[in-house]
Amino acid sequence: YPISILSGLVMRLVQPVFFQQVGDGSDASRFRQAYVVNMRLTLTILVVTGLATLFALALHGPIFSLLVDASYHPISGLLPGTVLAGGLFSAGQCISISLMSGKKTQSMVLPKIATATIGVILNVIGATWLGVQGVVAANVIFWASHFVWMLILSIKSYRRVG
């Protein structure tokens, strides 16, 4: 999950600045400015994810030839899905920052619990029926659903402010 690591590092740098910008959440204009910056960062993560997924799709064979034992080469085609899942995870985490900066962080509880539950169920089903391919597919679906739910909540939060 190189995208997750990279975005995690960026978020560690940006998060304190973001919360400083938002302050206590009472100033709508400050919240809106920080929200726009956060959405741009989220969009950047999605673009990098898309490019990295395409890169992995085109070069998964050579990448595996260079980096892993030959016994793993048959599953190199799963690399793009893994990259996509990692990027969706990172984008969802990035959007969560906007929600955490608001006064109603409890809005995140249901989506976090529901998507985690769905993720576990999908992973068990995927592993049972399709093996490692099912696990990768389950993670893509899981993190995509988490990202979309966080995005919807974030947009609603933005519209409620000012």
Side-chain angles (χ1 to χ4, degrees):
Y1 286 31
I3 293 174
S4 299
I5 294 169
L6 181 61
S7 67
L9 291 172
V10 170
M11 295 312 298
R12 296 268 189 252
L13 294 171
V14 171
Q15 198 169 8
V17 175
F18 182 82
F19 287 124
Q20 175 77 25
Q21 173 66 30
V22 172
D24 66 358
S26 62
D27 186 344
S29 67
R30 289 175 66 180
F31 176 81
R32 286 180 174 273
Q33 288 173 345
Y35 177 87
V36 169
V37 170
N38 191 43
M39 291 309 277
R40 286 182 182 155
L41 182 57
T42 301
L43 181 60
T44 301
I45 290 170
L46 290 173
V47 168
V48 169
T49 297
L51 292 172
T53 301
L54 290 173
F55 179 79
L57 187 62
L59 298 173
H60 62 85
I63 290 170
F64 266 55
S65 294
L66 288 172
L67 300 177
V68 299
D69 186 67
S71 63
Y72 292 102
H73 291 185
I75 61 167
S76 70
L78 299 176
L79 183 61
T82 304
V83 170
L84 179 60
L88 290 170
F89 161 76
S90 297
Q93 293 300 98
C94 187
I95 285 180
S96 295
I97 291 175
S98 287
L99 295 168
M100 287 186 274
S101 67
K103 293 183 179 184
K104 297 192 175 190
T105 56
Q106 69 270 20
S107 68
M108 294 173 52
V109 173
L110 177 62
K112 293 280 189 178
I113 293 170
T115 57
T117 303
I118 291 167
V120 169
I121 293 168
L122 287 174
N123 271 290
V124 169
I125 291 170
T128 302
W129 289 352
L130 300 170
V132 72
Q133 294 168 332
V135 172
V136 172
N139 277 294
V140 170
I141 294 167
F142 165 48
W143 289 118
S145 67
H146 178 266
F147 168 75
V148 169
W149 205 335
M150 290 293 115
L151 179 62
I152 290 167
L153 288 176
S154 180
I155 291 169
K156 285 181 180 181
S157 174
Y158 179 77
R159 288 181 179 160
R160 263 183 274 164
V161 175

